[in-house]
Amino acid sequence: MIKELYTPMQIELRERARELAETAMRPVAAKYDEAQEYPWEVQKAIKAAGLSGVWIPKEYGGMGGGVLDLCIVVEEFSRACGGMGVGFAVNALGSFPIIVGGTDEQKERWLPGIAAGEKLIAFGLSEAKAGSDAASMQTRAEKDGEHYVLNGEKKWNTGGAVASYNTVFAVTNPDRGARGISAFVVEEGTKGYRVGKHEDKMGIRCVPVVEIHLEQCRVPEANLLGGHEGHGFKHAMITLDRARPGVAAQAVGLAQGALDLAMQYTHERQQFGQSVSSFQGVQWMLSDMATQIEAARQLVHHAARVIDSGHRHITKVSAMCKLMATDVAMKVTTDCVQLFGGYGYCKDYPIEKYMRDAKITQIYEGTNQIQRLVIARNLLREAAGGAN
Ligand code: CAA
């Protein structure tokens, strides 16, 4: 990190996050990966370190940081464990709809608990038949007096089994397409809200990814985000624009963490009477990886700065950084496994976990095919004379 490019708070945040990652996350990463269990001890350590509300405005108990601050922390956590990185970042994904679309009363009600690390929050957009095509969701919310009655099933709900709150998107007006979708904060314990199947995953195994069942689930109308129907899809898209750099930062952290291990291993490993890192072929791989990681990191930080500046057009650069950083993470972690040779393929060494954790970053919060679609739509709009 070139310190002059960052604020004192960002430099301090990075140091604090790195120390926490090295002391509280790395030592237990393999244990929770194997057990596929949520690391409550890590959650408590994040809370104790005062990092739970990095992205939440100060007036609601947070640090008042922006997307760049969030990315700096997520990268450091993911360098030690990609699962713990997303376990943290998903709270930003779940709470951005409240920050961008909630009323003052709703922000006052839900954000301080999240900022304090007392409450976790998930994001319920996807369904079994509505993944990339998020607007085709079937979950319904029907008004009944002072409540909405929600029925449907959400899929791929990251952190849903441990979250106190879930930002759930549902159709309030089936005749209006994307404009008929609304967002609700559903609180744990609400009758008719049930956590279902836990996915058995390739990577990010310490974070539960679950199905959520909504069966005659009565949610007070006060939990309709913003107090108006029909804004949910727009708020989901605005949220994803702000959250995708977090996935990209997770990818950069994974790639950097894998390269750190490969640097050390190739230095120590002796073959043909010399250190493996003394071979030019290996040095070129290390150089390429370091260059790709730095390029990805700078695009992530650029995107985060554009978002934090309040610029109106953030969609394209957000998708670009997610696309690039996650593809870099997949390539770098795969190449690092290669550098470990046969040992890289075995769980005795920590490197294979990086490759498993990296794969999901190309898939969630919009597949990289969807990122390309989003980038292309914006490029063509700009070419036709729209703003960039
Ligand atoms: N910002 C603001 N508004 C936006 C927007 C944006 N970035 N993108 C679209 N909108 C608005 C449009 O302006 C339009 O509004 P109007 O009706 O008022 O004109 C409305 O939303 C519909 O837009 P589109 O017609 O462009 O929508 P679409 O159906 O063609 O879909 C899409 C667009 C980009 C493909 C979108 O569906 C998408 O992003 N899909 C991927 C979904 C995704 O990322 N899912 C991951 C969920 S989270 C997860 O992975 C699990 C987890 O827990 C981590």
Side-chain angles (χ1 to χ4, degrees):
M1 182 184 253
I2 297 170
K3 292 194 170 171
E4 289 72 17
L5 298 178
Y6 297 86
T7 65
M9 172 174 148
Q10 285 160 353
I11 294 163
E12 194 271 325
L13 257 185
R14 187 172 90 136
E15 283 163 9
R16 216 182 329 160
R18 181 169 296 184
E19 193 187 327
L20 188 68
E22 291 305 322
T23 55
M25 298 181 185
R26 193 182 294 278
V28 295
K31 177 178 95 174
Y32 285 106
D33 174 61
E34 193 184 355
Q36 200 161 207
E37 257 174 38
Y38 186 72
W40 283 108
E41 61 177 298
V42 169
Q43 153 62 17
K44 281 194 195 120
I46 296 172
K47 183 178 163 192
L51 290 171
S52 301
V54 170
W55 65 93
I56 293 180
K58 281 191 179 152
E59 59 265 46
Y60 302 109
M63 289 176 78
V67 173
L68 181 55
D69 304 272
L70 171 68
C71 288
I72 287 170
V73 175
V74 173
E75 179 184 332
E76 292 303 325
F77 288 179
S78 305
R79 191 171 176 172
C81 176
M84 294 174 193
V86 68
F88 171 76
V90 77
N91 292 284
L93 177 68
S95 57
F96 278 148
I98 304 173
I99 294 171
V100 301
T103 62
D104 290 347
E105 187 273 332
Q106 290 171 332
K107 290 178 189 175
E108 196 61 63
R109 195 167 144 207
W110 293 308
L111 294 179
I114 300 165
E118 306 277 336
K119 305 282 184 190
L120 301 176
I121 183 162
F123 183 78
L125 180 71
S126 303
E127 298 180 0
K129 293 184 181 167
S132 294
D133 184 7
S136 70
M137 69 178 64
Q138 295 298 308
T139 295
R140 283 296 312 271
E142 287 175 278
K143 190 93 195 290
D144 181 20
E146 293 184 347
H147 287 79
Y148 281 88
V149 181
L150 272 60
N151 281 291
E153 283 172 15
K154 291 291 169 182
K155 187 99 183 148
W156 316 125
N157 202 250
T158 307
V162 292
S164 300
Y165 308 138
N166 208 326
T167 303
V168 171
F169 297 83
V171 176
T172 40
N173 186 342
D175 300 328
R176 300 205 71 214
R179 291 183 184 185
I181 292 170
S182 303
F184 300 86
V185 173
V186 185
E187 300 189 6
E188 186 189 23
T190 306
K191 201 162 168 248
Y193 175 87
R194 183 168 63 82
V195 174
K197 181 185 172 207
H198 286 233
E199 305 297 342
D200 186 2
K201 308 181 297 304
M202 174 195 282
I204 60 156
R205 287 169 56 82
C206 70
V207 186
V209 172
V210 295
E211 292 178 351
I212 298 288
H213 300 273
L214 299 149
E215 293 146 349
Q216 294 294 108
C217 178
R218 289 178 73 79
V219 176
E221 65 179 348
N223 293 27
L224 168 68
L225 273 185
H228 298 287
E229 292 182 10
H231 298 291
F233 191 75
K234 203 154 244 187
H235 288 152
M237 293 299 110
I238 294 170
T239 288
L240 287 166
D241 286 345
R242 301 173 79 82
R244 284 174 178 153
V247 176
Q250 182 201 5
V252 171
L254 278 164
Q256 185 65 58
L259 180 60
D260 296 343
L261 293 175
M263 292 286 297
Q264 189 188 346
Y265 181 81
T266 55
H267 175 67
E268 288 167 4
R269 173 80 171 161
Q270 297 279 314
Q271 288 291 280
F272 303 102
Q274 54 192 312
S275 160
V276 168
S277 63
S278 67
F279 293 107
Q280 193 181 48
V282 171
Q283 290 177 0
W284 286 12
M285 283 177 77
L286 296 173
S287 304
D288 284 349
M289 289 191 283
T291 306
Q292 288 157 5
I293 293 169
E294 192 55 27
R297 180 181 289 117
Q298 293 313 320
L299 186 55
V300 175
H301 289 192
H302 170 67
R305 285 190 171 106
V306 172
I307 296 168
D308 291 340
S309 75
H311 200 281
R312 280 181 60 221
H313 301 288
I314 60 173
T315 304
K316 184 180 72 176
V317 74
S318 168
M320 281 176 164
C321 82
K322 198 272 189 186
L323 170 64
M324 186 194 175
T326 61
D327 281 355
V328 163
M330 200 63 238
K331 167 132 183 43
V332 166
T333 55
T334 306
D335 285 352
C336 287
V337 168
Q338 188 71 21
L339 286 174
F340 273 71
Y343 295 110
Y345 200 65
C346 299
K347 295 199 175 186
D348 290 347
Y349 284 76
I351 196 71
E352 56 84 37
K353 175 176 178 295
Y354 282 81
M355 186 175 160
R356 288 189 285 109
D357 285 351
K359 184 61 212 172
I360 190 63
T361 66
Q362 294 178 304
I363 298 172
Y364 60 18
E365 291 195 37
T367 63
N368 282 3
Q369 287 68 31
I370 287 295
Q371 306 309 320
R372 288 182 176 91
L373 176 146
V374 167
I375 294 163
R377 278 187 182 181
N378 282 277
L379 278 178
L380 295 168
R381 199 172 299 142
E382 287 162 23
N388 63 30

